Amino acid sequence: MDPAAAEAARQAWLEAGLDGYDLPDFIPLPSMDDQEPVEPPLFQRPLALLTFSYTPERKLVWNNSAMKFYKNPPLNAPLDRDYDKWIKRPEERGRLDGLLRALRRKAVRPEASRADVVTWRGIMTKIITAPYETREGWDLNAMFVNDCLYIEEHSTDAKLQEK
């Protein structure tokens, strides 16, 4: 910072009544030479513990019957192909209920007890891409229980109607 800018900043602080502070011209960054190396956090590949699905009536079942697979459309297919077969479900609040029921199953409990964060994959995507998202915001509900963070999206009635 040049001396004129530093003096202008100092004068602004003095005018604001902060004259009791001995302000340096700059704040040096800490040297990395005298610090001990920091171990990076442990990351591991997500582990699929079990599958569950919701029936069209929104009943929870313990299989992957609702799983769909992507198939490439035929070449030169019209863009509205099979659009009339699409069933649009009304938007609803994305709760953790099904995920929490799955974590209570006997086969999953040992691995579930190791979890630090419990949420849907889409929520993690929103968090990770947040610095780049400029179109719409989002709200999350988070709760820290027994050393585990539970996160779900908070959707108001107005936001659900908007979708």
Side-chain angles (χ1 to χ4, degrees), residues 33-55:
D33 297 333
D34 58 340
Q35 294 191 7
E36 293 186 31
V38 176
E39 288 292 318
L42 295 176
F43 289 100
Q44 67 184 39
R45 186 182 194 122
L47 176 65
L49 300 175
L50 60 89
T51 59
F52 64 89
S53 297
Y54 287 105
T55 66

Side-chain angles (χ1 to χ4, degrees), residues 2-141:
D2 69 89
E7 185 56 33
R10 185 181 305 276
Q11 287 301 318
W13 277 72
L14 293 172
E15 289 171 12
L18 301 172
D19 56 348
Y21 294 97
D22 183 21
L23 302 175
D25 290 336
F26 65 94
I27 299 174
L29 292 173
S31 169
M32 298 303 284
D33 297 333
D34 58 340
Q35 294 191 7
E36 293 186 31
V38 176
E39 288 292 318
L42 295 176
F43 289 100
Q44 67 184 39
R45 186 182 194 122
L47 176 65
L49 300 175
L50 60 89
T51 59
F52 64 89
S53 297
Y54 287 105
T55 66
E57 297 80 30
R58 302 301 293 158
K59 182 180 180 222
L60 184 67
V61 291
W62 301 105
N63 60 35
N64 61 358
S65 59
M67 187 179 284
K68 305 284 188 226
F69 295 93
Y70 177 77
K71 294 186 295 186
N72 284 322
L75 288 175
N76 300 321
L79 295 179
D80 64 350
R81 181 173 187 260
D82 291 337
Y83 183 76
D84 56 331
K85 296 178 184 175
W86 177 55
I87 301 169
K88 176 156 174 55
R89 286 195 339 250
E91 290 292 332
E92 56 188 37
R93 289 180 171 81
R95 299 289 189 199
L96 290 176
D97 298 357
L99 203 50
L100 295 175
R101 283 191 194 107
L103 292 175
R104 288 180 37 204
R105 293 185 64 90
K106 189 175 184 179
V108 177
R109 274 191 223 137
E111 289 296 326
S113 66
R114 296 180 46 221
D116 294 319
V117 177
V118 173
T119 191
W120 295 108
R121 180 181 61 211
I123 299 300
M124 291 305 295
T125 302
K126 286 182 181 196
I127 292 170
I128 291 169
T129 60
Y132 312 103
E133 175 61 54
T134 58
R135 290 174 288 165
E136 64 181 62
W138 38 263
D139 295 318
L140 299 177
N141 296 329

